[in-house]
């Protein structure tokens, strides 16, 4: 809300409103004495430019490019897109237009879409850097455009050069370590189950594992924990065997595929194994409600998508200085505090 209007400033300075407008928006030539007089009045009485009104009057459009994995078969990314769409609907009246660039969850599709994004002219970019090395290279090229960039899910920006909305991956792994350690007195065998796609995804995965180990390194009194790792591709889940769970008390799955382990344990009637994983996928929720999965750490993907667009809106439309890093609070979900919608 304006504290003083352009018309009032003009009256106090004994000049035209048009001259005041040129001074405020730094257009045209105005005598320095007049500029100083107007600035003194603004400093004394205060003036806030109504940026939204100016944009609406000019019918200005802001094009945001959205560069994400396809969400048809990936529930997590569907939630991200839902949040983005929610923000787009809310801010559309202020001239925001979204242009989507989706890619299949493979390297070739990512590279093809990345080239299209580089060639597209827009005002801001929301980007999910799934393939680490290629995402770093893409960012180096895209930075030449000198426009705001906000990343979701994974932060690969050096020294927070770009905005980020999402989890603190290291902290989420550290939290998983704490959850594993609760109420354990006897020796505990922990299996870190690394179930990945054909191509390993982002640094999120490794940061979670690093954070998990760091918890136990920081608590050297927890000497009764022994760790082992098992890596498996999605396409090789038939390699699961009873032997690999022999003597295992706890399983940490550092991504959203905890349900794969849970399904195997249930089918083979293996009980007493604590499972910790990530994300509220419907398969994970099913085994959470059955008591096979003990904890899920939720990173609220819909909020990430919404807040990513909200950052670009504040930065470009409102021209506000905004915090570049927004960590999503980590939610610990148990069957006792999860309430699925009843149809």
């Amino acid at each position: 809300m304006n504290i003083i209007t352009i018309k009032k400033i003009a009256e106090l300075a004994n000049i035209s409103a048009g001259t005041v407008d040129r001074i405020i928006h730094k257009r045209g030539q105005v005598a320095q004495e007049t500029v100083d007089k107007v600035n003194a009045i603004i400093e004394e009485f205060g003036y806030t430019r109504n940026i939204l009104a100016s944009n609406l009057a000019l019918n200005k459009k802001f094009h945001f490019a959205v560069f994400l994995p396809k969400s048809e078969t990936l529930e997590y990314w569907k939630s991200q897109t839902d949040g983005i769409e929610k923000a787009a609907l809310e801010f559309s009246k202020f001239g925001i237009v979204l242009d989507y660039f989706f890619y299949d969850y493979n390297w070739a599709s990512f590279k093809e879409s990345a080239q299209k994004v580089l060639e597209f002219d827009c005002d801001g970019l929301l980007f999910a850097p799934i393939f680490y090395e290629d995402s770093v290279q893409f960012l180096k090229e895209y930075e030449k455009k000198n426009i705001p960039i906000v990343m979701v899910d994974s932060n690969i920006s050096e020294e927070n050069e770009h905005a980020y909305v999402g989890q603190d991956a290291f902290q989420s792994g550290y939290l998983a370590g704490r959850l594993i350690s609760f109420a354990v007195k006897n020796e505990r065998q922990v299996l870190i189950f690394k179930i990945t796609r054909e191509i390993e995804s982002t640094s999120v995965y490794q940061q979670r594992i690093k954070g998990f180990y760091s918890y136990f390194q920081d608590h050297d009194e927890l000497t009764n924990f022994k760790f082992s790792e098992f890596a498996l591709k999605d396409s090789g889940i038939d390699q699961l065997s009873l032997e690999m769970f022999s003597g295992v008390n706890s399983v940490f799955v550092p991504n959203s595929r905890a349900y794969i382990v849970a399904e195997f344990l249930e089918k083979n009637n293996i009980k007493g194994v604590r499972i910790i994983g990530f994300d509220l996928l419907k398969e994970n929720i099913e085994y959470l409600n059955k008591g096979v999965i003990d904890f899920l750490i939720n990173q609220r993907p819909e909020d990430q998508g919404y807040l990513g667009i909200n950052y670009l809106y504040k930065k470009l439309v409102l021209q506000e200085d905004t915090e570049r890093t927004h960590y999503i609070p980590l939610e610990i979900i148990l069957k006792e505090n999860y309430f699925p919608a009843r149809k």
Side-chain angles (χ1 to χ4, degrees):
M1 186 175 69
N2 292 344
I3 299 172
I4 188 172
T5 64
I6 288 178
K7 183 178 179 181
K8 185 63 177 178
I9 294 172
E11 291 176 1
L12 292 171
N14 195 28
I15 58 177
S16 69
T19 301
V20 176
D21 184 76
R22 287 198 299 275
I23 293 171
I24 290 173
H25 297 96
K26 299 179 180 179
R27 295 194 298 263
Q29 297 294 321
V30 181
Q32 188 60 46
E33 180 182 357
T34 305
V35 172
D36 293 341
K37 184 187 294 185
V38 168
N39 287 336
I41 293 170
I42 289 174
E43 185 176 349
E44 179 180 355
F45 293 95
Y47 172 79
T48 302
R49 179 187 170 201
N50 193 331
I51 296 172
L52 287 178
S54 299
N55 291 338
L56 291 171
L58 295 171
N59 196 27
K60 188 171 183 178
K61 299 295 182 183
F62 297 86
H63 287 266
F64 298 164
V66 177
F67 186 21
L68 295 176
K70 290 181 180 177
S71 59
E72 287 87 346
T73 59
L74 299 171
E75 191 177 343
Y76 174 83
W77 291 108
K78 174 65 166 60
S79 296
Q80 288 268 7
T81 305
D82 288 344
I84 290 168
E85 288 292 333
K86 179 181 176 181
L89 182 62
E90 182 176 331
F91 301 135
S92 61
K93 59 187 175 183
F94 302 121
I96 287 180
V97 179
L98 300 187
D99 299 273
Y100 288 95
F101 297 84
F102 291 116
Y103 57 91
D104 292 318
Y105 216 98
N106 63 66
W107 176 83
S109 181
F110 176 87
K111 293 281 284 185
E112 181 180 351
S113 294
Q115 187 58 42
K116 293 178 181 178
V117 177
L118 286 168
E119 295 170 357
F120 181 71
D121 186 24
C122 64
D123 302 290
L125 170 69
L126 185 146
F127 171 45
I130 296 303
F131 302 102
Y132 180 76
E133 296 294 339
D134 296 291
S135 294
V136 169
Q137 186 60 41
F138 166 78
L139 272 183
K140 287 181 179 178
E141 289 296 316
Y142 203 85
E143 285 166 359
K144 297 175 184 177
K145 291 177 174 284
N146 196 31
I147 65 173
I149 299 169
V150 57
M151 287 175 287
V152 294
D153 182 68
S154 179
N155 188 7
I156 63 171
S157 177
E158 294 184 2
E159 299 179 355
N160 295 323
E161 184 178 357
H162 303 298
Y164 171 67
V165 178
Q167 65 171 318
D168 183 327
F170 179 90
Q171 194 70 12
S172 69
Y174 199 92
L175 172 61
R178 179 181 290 277
L179 293 173
I180 286 282
S181 73
F182 282 158
V184 174
K185 295 181 179 180
N186 301 322
E187 184 169 305
R188 198 80 170 174
Q189 186 68 35
V190 180
L191 175 60
I192 299 174
F193 219 105
K194 302 192 288 188
I195 308 173
T196 66
R197 298 185 185 277
E198 291 306 319
I199 301 176
E200 186 49 75
S201 52
T202 67
S203 60
V204 165
Y205 191 76
Q206 295 299 331
Q207 284 296 310
R208 285 175 178 168
I209 296 173
K210 184 178 179 180
F212 182 80
Y213 280 129
S214 291
Y215 177 80
F216 293 93
Q217 292 167 1
D218 291 346
H219 295 80
D220 52 13
E221 74 277 9
L222 300 174
T223 58
N224 56 331
F225 284 84
K226 308 298 180 184
F227 303 95
S228 59
E229 297 184 8
F230 186 82
L232 182 71
K233 298 293 184 185
D234 266 358
S235 59
I237 57 175
D238 57 343
Q239 297 174 18
L240 294 177
S241 66
L242 295 175
E243 289 75 18
M244 68 178 57
F245 293 98
S246 178
V248 170
N249 309 103
S250 301
V251 174
F252 172 50
V253 184
N255 56 24
S256 61
R257 297 172 183 81
Y259 65 89
I260 292 176
V261 176
E263 181 182 15
F264 180 84
L265 296 184
E266 183 186 51
K267 284 183 177 180
N268 290 277
N269 198 31
I270 301 175
K271 300 183 183 298
V273 177
R274 176 178 292 176
I275 300 178
I276 295 179
F278 289 82
D279 301 329
L280 301 183
L281 275 61
K282 61 183 180 180
E283 295 95 339
N284 283 339
I285 291 299
E286 176 186 350
Y287 288 104
L288 181 78
N289 287 330
K290 289 180 177 181
V292 183
I293 293 177
D294 293 87
F295 301 105
L296 289 172
I297 298 174
N298 182 31
Q299 52 185 319
R300 293 158 54 184
E302 184 171 341
D303 287 358
Q304 291 185 40
Y306 177 89
L307 291 171
I309 296 299
N310 186 55
Y311 171 84
L312 293 175
Y313 163 74
K314 289 182 176 180
K315 184 76 174 175
L316 292 165
V317 181
L318 300 184
Q319 299 178 21
E320 292 182 358
D321 289 330
T322 307
E323 288 289 335
R324 287 185 175 180
T325 302
H326 185 110
Y327 285 126
I328 296 292
L330 299 171
E331 297 179 337
I332 304 170
I333 306 299
L334 303 82
K335 69 176 182 178
E336 288 81 6
N337 71 351
Y338 178 78
F339 301 95
R342 298 187 180 278
K343 296 183 179 180

